[in-house]
Amino acid sequence: MANFTRSSVDITYSVWKALMLREAVSRLSSGRAAWLWLLLEPLVHVIFLLFIFSVIRMRSVGGIDTTAWLMVGLLAFLMFKRTGTQTQNAIGSNHGLFTYRQVKPIDTVLVRASLEGFLTILVAIILFVGVSLFGIVAIPQDPLLVLEAFFGLWLLGLGFGLIASVVSELIPELGKIITFAMTPLYFASGVLIPVAAIPQPYRDWLMLNPIVHGLDAARLGFATYYHAVPGLSIAYLYGFAITTIFLGMALHARYATRLVTQ
Amino acid sequence: MIVVDDVYKRYHTDHGLGKWILEGISFSIPPNLSVGLVGCNGAGKSTLLRLIGGVDVPSRGRIERNCRVSWPMGFGGGLQGSLTGRQNAKFVCRIHGHQDDIPNRLAYIEEFAELGDAFDEPVKTYSSGMKSRLQFGLSLAFDFDVYISDEVTAAGDAAFREKAATAFKKLSDHASIIMVSHGEGTLRQFCKAGIWLNEGGAHWFDKIDDALREYKKSQLEYHLNSLLAQQGMPANQEQLALEIEKTKQRQSAILALESGMKGAPVIVDHEEGLRVMQEARQLGMQLAIGANIAAQGYKLKPNMTPMLKKYFPLPHNKHIDLYDLNSQCEKVESER
């Protein structure tokens, strides 16, 4: 008995490792060429938006090239969105695993978020390298700021996912509403419209959305001459993210047994 | 050693708190003792297994596990449908911290579960028998002190059950099993002691046979009560009389069985005997004529009183003894 007791850290670590491999397999091999869609989705999205922007003859936004502006914004938004939506379903799609008492609901959420963050970074790198082959400047001037912004958005996605996963397990109806909310959030995050160009007082309202800060910080990191929105604060993004993560973890701690037994 | 101390359990349902499933049960299971749980549907057998397995927590009371307890094997739980049997097996190895000897364990599981090529097919394509074989193989690949099985061993075919029992006997010097099964044969094959769950309470029996008998007795009573409650309002007098007659006949058949179980067999005529045998079948018993037991490959256990005596008027006015094949006889080992 005694010679075989593992410490809690050991157990959690091996659970994370096992879950990570399992999630990666099902994420990348479910359906036909699942990995291809990971790449194609943002690519097609950017090409479509680029087409519209070229129709209205916008060559640059806030001082930087439209393609770069769009791509950075979209990928930064995807960092939040994919992490958030994937983790929202983490508990539901791993219910069978709670048979093993080593696996806790929060493990599935954390692992999914990490996997999704990793995949999005990979996709972003591939796309940026691909685009720079076409002569568009896609090497960030301030890489640290870009990383900071992406990491903040990932944290925000994680916090969102932690809360949404509990909510959509306990109150499925509310889970659906959260899913709906993603589309308006897309429009209110400055992926399509430069928030700096929006008149007051509406801009201040939009600035309440932490994703706006993350997106513009990422763009600013790519080109330091970018006219970022006034009042940009990466600290606001991080504060918001950490608060949601704290809330989400509190929910997970509070409802740990409810989530497993339902 | 597993100690269950004054455990209460109820679930949250869509409309508030459900009713108590387990109400203040206490018992302790000593090491190396295999225990079967019996009780009717909804008595809380699976719930209790989940509590012992640590997947769920009691609403009140506490459960102590001073040994390594397996996860509760049961109906497809713990397997992800979209992944193959092999991938699922790897996952289980990893969460149990056996990263290094995955190949050995995989080989064992593959060999034990006998799934053939299906081992590399998604689990959602498996039949329930295949799933249970995989689950049983999975859990046997790890050294637990106590294995928890919810109907898994019963789901495979006879050959697999035999194999599982043999594999399990090999472990029985240091491991035990706690199981739920509706197959009496399976319970007898694996378990020594029994727990009968009834109306929120748990009753411990040192012998699984006693637990099964108590359970059956309660089933008889339940049967009788539901029979009495069933009487609706038939359309006419004639039908009503018929219904009453039928009910009376079933009632007396059940009563005859009950007194047989208590060791005081009743003498019945041929027609009544047929009715009793029918009721017995519904309760999962298999009445056989004493002289025919050997022909069916069984032998009577010592000191058994017959369940029933059936009276034959012709030719010698004597009665023949009927025994229950399942509980009163044991299979004769055929020499191969």
Side-chain angles (χ1 to χ4, degrees), chain A residues 7-97:
Chain A
S7 70
S8 310
V9 178
D10 268 354
I11 294 174
T12 307
Y13 177 65
S14 56
V15 165
W16 283 357
K17 208 153 77 175
L19 272 176
M20 181 61 107
L21 289 165
R22 177 194 191 94
E23 286 286 345
V25 167
S26 42
R27 181 94 171 96
L28 296 177
S29 69
S30 66
R32 253 164 252 183
W35 55 272
L36 189 66
W37 294 111
L38 279 181
L39 269 178
L40 274 187
E41 193 204 329
L43 193 65
V44 170
H45 205 128
V46 167
I47 291 174
F48 177 71
L49 290 181
L50 209 55
F51 173 72
I52 293 180
F53 273 71
S54 59
V55 167
I56 57 174
R57 309 218 167 165
M58 246 169 108
R59 290 280 164 83
S60 69
V61 182
I64 61 173
D65 180 72
T66 313
T67 318
W69 184 83
L70 268 177
M71 257 183 61
V72 177
L74 184 72
L75 284 166
F77 182 73
L78 278 184
M79 187 63 155
F80 164 77
K81 187 196 154 187
R82 277 187 174 173
T83 311
T85 48
Q86 282 293 319
T87 48
Q88 186 184 348
N89 305 320
I91 297 180
S93 44
N94 283 312
H95 244 295
L97 298 184

Side-chain angles (χ1 to χ4, degrees), chain A residues 147-206:
Chain A
L147 280 180
E148 204 183 343
F150 270 73
F151 186 65
L153 286 164
W154 177 77
L155 283 180
L156 189 66
L158 172 64
F160 172 88
L162 280 169
I163 296 175
S165 59
V166 176
V167 167
S168 55
E169 257 321 278
L170 298 184
I171 318 166
E173 297 79 6
L174 216 57
K176 278 192 189 122
I177 294 175
I178 292 178
T179 315
F180 292 153
M182 270 301 175
T183 315
L185 206 54
Y186 170 76
F187 288 108
S189 295
V191 181
L192 288 179
I193 310 144
V195 176
I198 288 174
Q200 291 286 19
Y202 308 107
R203 189 168 74 205
D204 275 352
W205 298 357
L206 283 180

Side-chain angles (χ1 to χ4, degrees), chain B residues 2 87 119 145 161 175 212 289 300:
Chain B
I2 292 173
Q87 286 166 335
F119 196 51
D145 297 320
R161 223 156 55 212
L212 283 167
I289 297 170
L300 198 59

